[in-house]
Amino acid sequence: MSLIQNCYVLSAILFIIGIKSLSSPETAKRGMRLAAVGMLIAIIGTLFNPHIVTYKWIIAGLVTGTVLSLPISLWVPMTHIPQRIALSHAGGAFAGCLIGIAEYYRYHLSLPSLNAGIIGIEVMLAALTFTGSLMVAAKLHGLLPGRPMIYKGQNSVNMVVFILMVVLLIYLILNPTLTILFYFLLSLAFLFGVFLVTPIGAADMPVVIALFNSYGGLTSAVMGFMLANRIQIITGALDGASGFILSMLMCKAMNRSVTNVLFGAFGKTQVTSSKPSSPSLHDKPVKTMMIEEALALFAQAKSVIIVPGYGMAVSQAHHALREFADKLKNKHISVKYAIHPVAGRMPGHMNVLLAEANVPYTDLFDMDDINPEFAHTDIALVVGANDVTNPAARQAKSSPIYGMPILNVDKAKKVIVCKRSLNPGFSGIENELYVQEQTFLLFGDAKESLTQLVYGFKNSW
Ligand code: NDP
């Protein structure tokens, strides 16, 4: 086997072990490093390809890529990671698009039908992933309105564009030399990416990102066939399959179908902040509490389960939360973190933030493992989580979150909720948990409340 093939086999093994390692927070960092080494080996191997004419442009590309990506990876905050990922997908897809165009431009006069079909599919997927991912990034970053942009007959228009692309692809296979077909297909695919994302709200973008991840992987696999490059077929297939599985898992955890995400225009897209002017829900009073009262409750507790959510990420409260949890542990209070699969706005959002704050992995518990424990727990401390604690998911058939598995916070002996107001979460619905007998609302920014709890703890205990 040649040096290049050896490099490719080694990098494929590293990619597979890397992806496998991502399934646990304990091994995820190592998995990322292994995959990065795998990519480096694949790149080095490719540099030995005898067909390389000049290294000038390769070096220019390497320098540009490094100069652009280094500051992004160093300075983009955790709350902006979804749009950063979308931008990476756009970059990869654009590269795939350019390669497809170059291949067609060079060989179209002698291209067999099969190869024309492969290049056609490749540029189609790459072009729609490119514009679609740019739209996702713009919506998430607030450069475009985050709300679903809908007009009458939108689904029909999208369907017509899609059918037109398929027809053009078939014509291209039958007439590989007809360049107009190729460039028309390419233009429509760019347009389709925009049309596809327009009706989807910003809050659903993580599922769309995972879907585009899958399309990007497919592009890469098809490109591998086009260039007869085995490592690209392997990485593309891995990427495509893992992106697809991730989208399915996220939809399952939200109890929604992919069709509903793509065409359902579900959910509130921007959580507005307001003061708790009238602390009531459905005209039922809610109980509020002050920092000192919360501290008094904690002083009597033996066990606490912390439930982090999107609000913890927004307020960057994870470090203060860990500090408070450490104080409780020092007083021999059992502390566990309950992690809902879709808490936050991207898969693993809570795990990543809590790892950043050095919360031990052994303190994190998946929903199914922790749910039976709530009933025996003295205090459930909810930090910026809302939908993932809403009991309506169990009983209210008309609720948009009906059927979504939730954390059994309402079963805990006492519940303390840190949030700024009675505003709903992502789904836009009210939470019955807040009017239950044992629930107390500690209004305020989560980071401020937790910092005050830590401070009060030092002074009063
Ligand atoms: P939610 O969006 O339901 O609620 C977040 C809560 O945080 C709000 O009620 C808000 O209340 C509060 N909050 C916001 N800012 C602050 C702050 N600075 N300090 C304190 N509280 C704050 O979050 P959950 O994590 O419970 O649920 C996630 C939702 O996102 C689910 O509906 C899920 O389906 C959805 N989703 C998740 C995805 C994923 O992959 N994780 C992907 C797509 C959707 P207030 O404004 O009153 O402070």
Side-chain angles (χ1 to χ4, degrees):
M1 221 175 1
S2 71
L3 172 74
I4 300 183
Q5 298 308 328
N6 278 322
C7 285
Y8 287 172
V9 169
L10 185 59
S11 61
I13 293 170
L14 288 171
F15 288 147
I16 292 168
I17 301 175
I19 289 194
K20 174 81 184 75
S21 309
L22 291 183
S23 57
S24 152
E26 252 168 326
T27 50
K29 269 190 186 169
R30 196 181 66 213
M32 283 304 293
R33 285 193 198 113
L34 286 177
V37 172
M39 183 56 84
L40 185 68
I41 293 172
I43 293 172
I44 292 172
T46 308
L47 291 178
F48 286 97
N49 192 318
H51 298 297
I52 292 177
V53 184
T54 166
Y55 283 91
K56 195 171 68 184
W57 293 109
I58 295 176
I59 293 169
L62 274 176
V63 172
T64 316
T66 310
V67 168
L68 286 177
S69 61
L70 207 65
I72 292 177
S73 59
L74 287 177
W75 293 317
V76 169
M78 274 306 300
T79 40
H80 292 173
I81 289 294
Q83 50 265 53
R84 195 210 68 83
I85 296 172
L87 275 184
S88 307
H89 289 166
F94 190 58
C97 217
L98 291 179
I99 293 170
I101 295 170
E103 285 294 294
Y104 183 76
Y105 182 75
R106 278 173 74 193
Y107 300 114
H108 71 277
L109 290 177
S110 57
L111 210 56
S113 286
L114 178 67
N115 297 38
I118 292 176
I119 296 182
I121 294 174
E122 197 267 344
V123 290
M124 195 172 91
L125 282 171
L128 73 88
T129 304
F130 171 60
T131 48
S133 298
L134 283 183
M135 287 284 293
V136 169
K139 279 198 170 207
L140 283 172
H141 207 65
L143 301 174
L144 283 176
R147 64 174 190 282
M149 293 184 262
I150 304 166
Y151 58 85
K152 215 169 162 233
Q154 192 168 33
N155 285 346
S156 313
V157 171
N158 289 1
M159 190 49 82
V160 169
V161 176
F162 180 73
I163 292 172
L164 211 58
M165 285 195 308
V166 175
V167 171
L168 279 170
L169 182 67
I170 296 170
Y171 267 86
L172 183 71
I173 293 171
L174 299 175
N175 308 282
T177 51
L178 217 54
T179 47
I180 180 90
L181 293 176
F182 178 80
Y183 291 109
F184 194 24
L185 173 65
L186 180 69
S187 314
L188 274 187
F190 278 131
L191 201 64
F192 189 66
V194 176
F195 285 3
L196 199 65
V197 178
T198 312
I200 307 172
D204 270 343
M205 288 306 154
V207 184
V208 184
I209 290 174
L211 270 181
F212 278 134
N213 183 51
S214 176
Y215 294 168
L218 282 178
T219 311
S220 177
V222 178
M223 201 196 306
F225 281 109
M226 186 173 84
L227 303 172
N229 184 320
R230 287 196 192 110
I231 191 67
Q232 262 197 307
I233 300 175
I234 297 172
T235 49
L238 285 174
D239 202 11
S242 54
F244 188 70
I245 293 170
L246 183 59
S247 331
M248 294 301 124
L249 287 176
M250 282 159 77
C251 287
K252 196 171 157 220
M254 294 191 287
N255 193 36
R256 299 175 58 204
S257 64
V258 175
T259 334
N260 182 269
V261 170
L262 292 180
F263 307 109
F266 169 91
K268 212 159 80 93
T269 51
Q270 273 161 2
V271 180
T272 50
S273 156
S274 74
K275 292 263 175 238
S277 48
S278 77
S280 69
L281 190 82
H282 299 313
D283 294 329
K284 293 180 203 159
V286 298
K287 288 194 264 320
T288 57
M289 75 174 4
M290 308 299 284
I291 295 290
E292 299 70 30
E293 293 166 299
L295 283 168
L297 262 191
F298 281 112
Q300 294 159 21
K302 291 206 163 37
S303 54
V304 173
I305 296 181
I306 295 171
V307 179
Y310 177 65
M312 181 190 78
V314 174
S315 87
Q316 293 287 295
H318 46 306
H319 294 281
L321 179 61
R322 205 257 306 131
E323 217 180 313
F324 182 60
D326 285 351
K327 298 250 173 277
L328 294 176
K329 282 189 196 170
N330 289 343
K331 291 285 171 194
H332 307 292
I333 298 171
S334 146
V335 178
K336 292 177 178 173
Y337 294 77
I339 309 295
H340 190 281
V342 293
R345 288 292 183 274
M346 61 180 188
H349 203 172
M350 298 300 114
N351 302 65
V352 175
L353 283 176
L354 294 173
E356 194 183 82
N358 293 323
V359 172
Y361 300 130
T362 45
D363 288 359
L364 309 189
F365 292 83
D366 287 339
M367 182 173 61
D368 293 339
D369 297 327
I370 197 86
N371 261 346
E373 294 200 27
F374 278 101
H376 320 290
T377 298
D378 294 327
I379 300 178
L381 172 63
V382 180
V383 183
N386 193 340
D387 292 345
V388 299
T389 66
N390 194 338
R394 276 195 227 112
Q395 59 257 1
K397 287 208 169 122
S398 56
S399 168
I401 60 164
Y402 179 68
M404 172 168 136
I406 55 155
L407 290 163
N408 293 339
V409 172
D410 56 326
K411 309 264 190 241
K413 291 178 195 158
K414 292 272 183 291
V415 181
I416 300 177
V417 182
C418 290
K419 74 198 295 291
R420 298 164 306 175
S421 66
L422 279 178
N423 277 350
F426 159 61
S427 69
I429 56 167
E430 292 180 332
N431 194 340
E432 288 288 334
L433 175 73
Y434 304 153
V435 288
Q436 289 193 351
E437 187 54 36
Q438 79 277 34
T439 304
F440 299 88
L441 285 147
L442 185 58
F443 282 124
D445 172 79
K447 187 176 176 182
E448 276 172 28
S449 298
L450 285 159
T451 310
Q452 284 179 36
L453 281 173
V454 172
Y455 183 75
F457 199 105
K458 276 182 197 151
N459 291 333
S460 60
W461 281 21

